[in-house]
Amino acid sequence: MPVTGPVCLPEVLAEEYQALRSESSYAPLDPSRPDSALAELFQKVHRDPKPFSALCISGGGIRSATFALGALQSMADKGYLGEFDYLSTVSGGGYIGSWLTAWIHRKGGLSEVVPKLKTDAPKPVGDEVDPIQHLRDYNNYLTPKLGLFSADTWTVAATVIRNMVLNWLVLVPLLLFALMAPRLVVSVTNLNPDYWSLPAPAWWPLVMRATLFLTYALFSLGVYNAVRYLPTVGKISHTQGDFLLYVLAPLVTSYILHCAYYWWSKDPTTFLLEVRHGLISAAAGWLAYLLIYEAFEDWKGFLRQLFGPISIAILLVGVGVGLFSWILLVLIYPIESIDTPQFVAMGPPLLLLGFSLAGALFVGLTSSTLEDQDREWFSRAGAWLTLVIIGWAAICSLVLLVPEIALNWPVWMQSLVTSLGAVSGWSAALAGFSGKSKAVPEARPTKSGSWPVELALKLAAPTFLILLFAALALLSKLIVDSTEPLQVAWLGRFVIVQRSLLAANAILALLYFLLGMVSAYFININLFSLNSMYRNRLVRAYLGASNQDRKPNPFTGFDEKDNLPMSEIDTQHKPFHILNLTLNLVAGKKLAWQQRKAESFTVSPLHCGSQDLGYRPSAEYGDKISLGQATAISGAAASPNMGYHSSPVVGFIMTLFNARLGAWLGNPGEHGDKTWTLRGPQSAVGSLVKEAFGLTDNTSEYVYLSDGGHFENLGLYEMVRRRCRYIVVLDSGCDQDFTYEDLGNAIRKIRIDLNIPITFPDALDRPLREKKKRCAVASIGYSNVDGQEASNGFLIYVKPMCLGNESPDVQSYQCQQIAFPHQSTADQWFNESQTESYRMLGQDTMDEISHGMKEPTLESLRLTAEEYIRRGMGGKSTAAGAP
């Protein structure tokens, strides 16, 4: 039976629980009542004699994966690795998690893997694969063979350059198309009798008069809708989109046409002409409202309004609009002293400024008639008007004025600006690639003298954008100036003079648009990004490790059979793997989520999706999403949109440079009914625009998925949601100063979204904070939301650190590398000593925490961890140990 819509969370969890506890019944009670069904399902979980448990492996690139490898080996040695029901991974944790999942799937169960995972396991013999040795061979998974002249190195470089150029074939023409708009306005504005090589055609005066009347009509329409939308006058509910379309757009268009008519006529305007324009337009809009909404319903009210204070205020505003227009057009910005580009760049903004001043006058004149909500409405309208004024002036100046100025600069200045653009672009892109690095808290003191560097880095992105658009505008000008061949006889009698090039501008704009759209149709946004290159190398290094029949292509070194479809992973084999991704909501509508700009998105062998949107079967989602694809997206640290690390300016730059490790996939919710089975967008235009300008949300046909750490970097959130009783977290995020930002972020989101507190008793937390013990134990307050009968959970939080009692080789490496074990996540090229040091530290850490376990159970691990924390800290050892 085909799936007709997204599946809700209770159904997803029930299916997972059933897969993990085949002897129990976890069928959802009533999917039509998701909240009550979820509550009843959790009551079953708490009554289950065999509570659920989870191992969470955090983000942190190959550093986290390698530390976790040692930890997994220690767990195998102690015999409790098979106790975990869930494996929840994020980013780099997904590398090693997917490695383990693929190995278990291919060997037929964890029981077949554990003997080979143990530290004292014999080396494989004959043709048997050695997944651990394979990881050592591919610790440089991006470029296994290092060196300047290595084919692996240049393959990555060639792939990046090729994909970036293909990306530019879509993005650059569309940007040039957008930048043609001011030039087209200049060309239209230049349409006056002097424009034609012969006398103007007979119909030209009619066009001018029609344009004049259209300015009146559009202005009146804007006033009419503004009055309709006033909360206490028209009382018509409307959205922000309605205001932009029916109020702001007519007013802005009216003033653009007003400037064009003024330029066409070449007659100096008079005070009376401008006042007449403002007075008639404003009065007509107000009268139209009264006739339509008041005259036929309440004629007495119509008369009161017609001769009331609002009518007087509108008449005075009309006069004010005319007055301000005359002052700006005649006294401040006289037409005789400027050329067309200057007039187009500054004329409409100045007229809109005059209208804004008249609007302020209207608010003052009606202060005794209108109410606070009306004044708030005018404030919001004024904000949008101000944005249009600034945006128009800035963009038109950049396109029309800056190129002319730049061409007159001396060569040394042009070279200096070019170098500045290159440096600022490189700095901004580098900042984007370090998006997974944690920002420096405001309260943390910075080094003396570092503020100029910090200021320069903050200015790098906007500086690059300004110079980029100026360069594109200059390129557009040079192309336009070289289009004289278009001025040939086939254009007819009305030959275009060189200074206008209306037809050339229109044709070029159309060609830019067509080139961008055609390129977007053929160039898949997911295939031609860093995502595919990154995915292929992760699959080769981690999933290919357990491929017994691996037959790599002798030229490329890749084998398609290394990867596994997510839905084909056997759910009967524990642990059940949950890969944590981030669904980006940079333009989301939830005000409380303005910091996080994201929500949790999970991929499992059964389902893909999020609680808010719903879930779809993994067997069909994203054209049968693979384990490798999910792992790569979960580790997509560098992306234009990065959840709570997102920056609109840096996002645009990373889009330009095609720095996209994430992927666009179909929306699993109702908005994606037609797209959720596809591999990605059929055209890249919408996706590129949304990620470049920070417009990603969850209401489009496609959603942008990136690194799970852009929402929550430990994988803890989804395991608490599933009510796991025992949760072990390996937090290998880069945290050299031990600020525990990822832990704080997870606890905060879990408390806000799930209403479940996670509490660390001081005796079990202080030794970790003082960097004297390697873990802490917390209580997970399920009873806070599920009722007093619910059993609380336990969190064992493990942090990599050097205490001086590690293996000698690990201590030696730490002396050479001071940042160890928190070296930068940007370092994804591990050497042999680095790999072994992190692996051994993970093994030493879990060996120390679990030393003295009485039996291979998670309850025994919890008690042993508490005893370990208290040991030597002056704490009191207890048998119960319940925090």
Side-chain angles (χ1 to χ4, degrees):
M1 183 176 179
V3 177
T4 57
V7 179
C8 65
L9 181 63
E11 295 176 273
V12 169
L13 296 188
E15 195 169 344
E16 291 178 8
Y17 295 154
Q18 192 65 45
L20 291 167
R21 300 284 187 271
S22 57
E23 69 279 4
S24 304
S25 176
Y26 277 103
L29 301 178
D30 186 358
S32 66
R33 299 182 296 112
D35 291 338
S36 60
L38 197 60
E40 294 181 43
L41 188 62
F42 289 150
Q43 291 303 317
K44 287 186 178 181
V45 171
H46 290 301
R47 292 194 298 267
D48 197 313
K50 191 177 180 181
F52 291 99
S53 57
L55 171 63
C56 302
I57 307 179
S58 78
I62 195 172
R63 178 190 61 246
S64 175
T66 311
F67 176 85
L69 171 62
L72 289 171
Q73 290 184 285
S74 173
M75 294 176 189
D77 288 341
K78 300 295 182 181
Y80 63 89
L81 181 59
E83 295 295 300
F84 292 107
D85 294 296
Y86 282 102
L87 173 62
S88 178
T89 63
V90 184
S91 192
Y95 301 176
I96 199 68
S98 297
W99 169 83
L100 181 63
T101 295
W103 193 5
I104 292 172
H105 172 78
R106 285 169 172 146
K107 294 297 291 184
L110 184 63
S111 59
E112 299 295 322
V113 170
V114 166
K116 303 177 185 300
L117 186 58
K118 290 182 177 181
T119 54
D120 59 355
K123 287 287 185 182
V125 295
D127 295 333
E128 187 179 3
V129 297
D130 187 347
I132 296 176
Q133 182 58 42
H134 187 91
L135 293 185
R136 296 183 188 277
D137 292 340
Y138 284 92
N139 48 20
N140 291 297
Y141 67 93
L142 291 174
T143 55
K145 293 184 179 179
L146 297 176
L148 180 61
F149 298 103
S150 163
D152 285 342
T153 302
W154 284 101
T155 298
V156 170
T159 303
V160 170
I161 294 171
R162 179 201 66 195
N163 291 351
M164 185 166 62
V165 170
L166 291 174
N167 189 65
W168 286 351
L169 285 177
V170 178
L171 197 56
V172 173
L174 293 177
L175 289 175
L176 289 173
F177 168 73
L179 293 176
M180 286 300 295
R183 293 192 173 277
L184 287 170
V185 174
V186 170
S187 297
V188 172
T189 305
N190 266 338
L191 292 176
N192 54 61
D194 295 338
Y195 170 82
W196 311 97
S197 59
L198 297 175
W203 45 261
W204 180 244
L206 294 177
V207 172
M208 293 181 62
R209 185 163 295 276
T211 301
L212 179 62
F213 287 138
L214 187 57
T215 64
Y216 281 80
L218 289 171
F219 194 99
S220 299
L221 178 62
V223 172
Y224 165 76
N225 285 319
V227 175
R228 267 197 330 140
Y229 292 158
L230 275 177
T232 63
V233 178
K235 300 178 181 178
I236 293 180
S237 178
H238 68 287
T239 64
Q240 181 169 276
D242 293 332
F243 168 80
L244 297 177
L245 184 60
Y246 299 116
V247 178
L248 190 61
L251 290 174
V252 172
T253 306
S254 172
Y255 273 123
I256 294 173
L257 293 177
H258 186 69
C259 288
Y261 175 81
Y262 180 59
W263 195 261
W264 292 345
S265 65
K266 289 294 183 180
D267 294 329
T269 188
T270 65
F271 172 75
L272 291 178
L273 286 174
E274 293 301 323
V275 168
R276 183 183 67 183
H277 177 268
L279 190 60
I280 293 176
S281 300
W286 171 239
L287 185 61
Y289 166 76
L290 291 178
L291 289 173
I292 295 174
Y293 287 95
E294 298 288 345
F296 299 103
E297 294 186 5
D298 180 9
W299 66 271
K300 291 183 179 180
F302 166 73
L303 293 176
R304 282 195 303 269
Q305 291 275 38
L306 182 62
F307 298 103
I310 294 182
S311 291
I312 297 172
I314 283 184
L315 293 176
L316 291 175
V317 165
V319 174
V321 167
L323 173 63
F324 291 130
S325 297
W326 179 76
I327 291 174
L328 293 168
L329 285 176
V330 176
L331 300 183
I332 297 179
Y333 213 61
I335 191 172
E336 296 82 6
S337 61
I338 56 176
D339 56 20
T340 313
Q342 290 175 314
F343 184 72
V344 168
M346 302 307 300
L350 287 174
L351 289 179
L352 289 170
L353 178 61
F355 177 79
S356 181
L357 295 173
L361 176 63
F362 179 82
V363 174
L365 293 172
T366 57
S367 58
S368 60
T369 304
L370 301 181
E371 299 180 6
D372 281 345
Q373 52 185 321
D374 298 307
R375 286 184 280 276
E376 287 290 344
W377 188 94
F378 274 110
S379 297
R380 176 60 66 93
W384 274 107
L385 194 60
T386 302
L387 288 173
V388 171
I389 291 171
I390 296 174
W392 181 280
I395 294 173
C396 288
S397 297
L398 198 62
V399 174
L400 302 175
L401 306 182
V402 171
E404 297 288 348
I405 298 172
L407 288 174
N408 294 322
W409 284 342
V411 175
W412 68 268
M413 185 176 293
Q414 293 177 356
S415 302
L416 178 63
V417 172
T418 302
S419 301
L420 178 62
V423 172
S424 59
W426 176 82
S427 302
L430 189 63
F433 272 101
S434 62
K436 279 285 290 167
S437 308
K438 304 300 179 281
V440 179
E442 293 181 4
R444 190 184 304 171
T446 55
K447 295 180 180 180
S448 175
S450 64
W451 70 265
V453 176
E454 293 180 6
L455 178 62
L457 289 175
K458 290 180 179 178
L459 293 177
T463 299
F464 174 74
L465 283 187
I466 292 172
L467 294 177
L468 169 67
F469 280 106
L472 289 175
L474 179 59
L475 173 63
S476 181
K477 171 184 167 52
L478 296 175
I479 295 174
V480 169
D481 288 348
S482 66
T483 54
E484 287 192 34
L486 289 175
Q487 303 174 36
V488 292
W490 63 267
L491 287 172
R493 294 176 61 243
F494 310 120
V495 180
I496 302 170
V497 296
Q498 186 173 353
R499 65 185 179 87
S500 293
L501 293 173
L502 175 59
N505 284 342
I507 292 172
L508 280 175
L510 180 62
L511 289 176
Y512 292 149
F513 179 76
L514 291 176
L515 176 59
M517 296 299 290
V518 171
S519 300
Y521 181 79
F522 288 102
I523 298 172
N524 186 291
I525 193 172
N526 289 336
L527 295 180
F528 296 103
S529 69
L530 296 181
N531 174 269
S532 58
M533 180 272 293
Y534 179 51
R535 179 193 66 236
N536 291 339
R537 282 150 182 79
L538 283 177
V539 167
R540 177 177 61 185
Y542 289 92
L543 303 189
S546 55
N547 185 0
Q548 182 66 50
D549 299 320
R550 191 166 193 272
K551 296 180 176 62
N553 182 289
F555 182 63
T556 65
F558 294 100
D559 184 352
E560 290 185 2
K561 294 182 180 179
D562 286 345
N563 206 351
L564 295 171
M566 199 75 202
S567 59
E568 293 184 9
I569 295 172
D570 194 341
T571 57
Q572 300 302 312
H573 300 320
K574 293 196 307 181
F576 186 91
H577 197 174
I578 301 286
L579 290 113
N580 295 272
L581 287 60
T582 293
L583 193 159
N584 282 270
L585 303 172
V586 180
K589 295 181 180 180
K590 288 190 178 182
L591 295 178
W593 286 11
Q594 291 180 93
Q595 179 187 10
R596 62 174 72 177
K597 303 174 185 175
E599 64 178 291
S600 174
F601 188 101
T602 59
V603 175
S604 78
L606 296 177
H607 297 98
C608 303
S610 69
Q611 182 180 16
D612 284 351
L613 293 177
Y615 299 81
R616 302 284 186 169
S618 299
E620 299 175 73
Y621 183 74
D623 192 23
K624 203 172 185 179
I625 189 170
S626 67
L627 177 61
Q629 174 72 323
T631 302
I633 299 174
S634 178
S639 289
N641 293 167
M642 301 181 286
Y644 64 92
H645 296 294
S646 297
S647 164
V649 177
V650 174
F652 181 88
I653 294 173
M654 296 191 74
T655 300
L656 182 70
F657 286 105
N658 202 30
R660 184 191 312 102
L661 289 176
W664 285 89
L665 292 177
N667 190 327
E670 294 179 352
H671 297 283
D673 281 342
K674 297 180 180 179
T675 60
W676 68 272
T677 60
L678 304 178
R679 297 181 68 185
Q682 294 178 326
S683 174
V685 173
S687 301
L688 282 173
V689 170
K690 287 182 179 181
E691 72 179 27
F693 295 98
L695 301 176
T696 51
D697 60 18
N698 58 5
T699 62
S700 304
E701 289 186 329
Y702 296 93
V703 293
Y704 184 65
L705 305 175
S706 67
D707 193 307
H710 296 157
F711 175 78
E712 192 269 294
N713 201 40
L714 300 182
L716 177 61
Y717 183 96
E718 290 293 337
M719 297 302 100
V720 173
R721 191 205 291 280
R722 284 160 173 75
R723 302 304 193 264
C724 292
R725 178 82 59 83
Y726 299 99
I727 303 178
V728 176
V729 172
L730 305 179
D731 180 7
S732 302
C734 187
D735 189 14
Q736 192 170 359
D737 295 329
F738 289 88
T739 61
Y740 302 99
E741 182 182 343
D742 288 334
L743 178 63
N745 174 62
I747 292 175
R748 185 182 308 113
K749 284 188 169 74
I750 290 169
R751 186 191 305 120
I752 292 171
D753 295 353
L754 308 180
N755 199 29
I756 296 175
I758 296 179
T759 308
F760 285 88
D762 182 66
L764 299 178
D765 175 48
R766 179 170 43 83
L768 176 71
R769 287 185 279 111
E770 293 176 353
K771 291 183 282 187
K772 296 180 179 179
K773 296 291 180 177
R774 303 179 189 274
C775 73
V777 178
S779 171
I780 308 173
Y782 293 132
S783 60
N784 189 67
V785 66
D786 294 338
Q788 292 302 316
E789 291 94 9
S791 300
N792 286 334
F794 299 97
L795 167 64
I796 302 174
Y797 174 78
V798 180
K799 191 78 170 176
M801 62 177 66
C802 291
L803 301 180
N805 60 348
E806 296 80 20
S807 300
D809 59 316
V810 177
Q811 294 184 53
S812 172
Y813 184 82
Q814 198 271 335
C815 290
Q816 301 170 46
Q817 302 291 334
I818 303 301
F820 176 83
H822 294 281
Q823 291 163 296
S824 172
T825 309
D827 180 9
Q828 294 293 292
W829 290 266
F830 272 29
N831 55 36
E832 184 180 41
S833 59
Q834 194 174 12
T835 299
E836 180 60 14
S837 296
Y838 275 101
R839 188 204 67 80
M840 195 63 202
L841 179 63
Q843 180 182 322
D844 285 345
T845 296
M846 294 310 297
D847 282 350
E848 185 173 324
I849 293 172
S850 60
H851 179 70
M853 280 183 64
K854 296 180 180 179
E855 53 184 8
T857 66
L858 295 180
E859 174 64 14
S860 178
L861 174 66
R862 192 261 300 183
L863 295 173
T864 304
E866 292 180 3
E867 181 69 23
Y868 156 74
I869 294 169
R870 291 189 173 96
R871 192 184 307 130
M873 298 300 297
K876 187 176 180 180
S877 301
T878 62

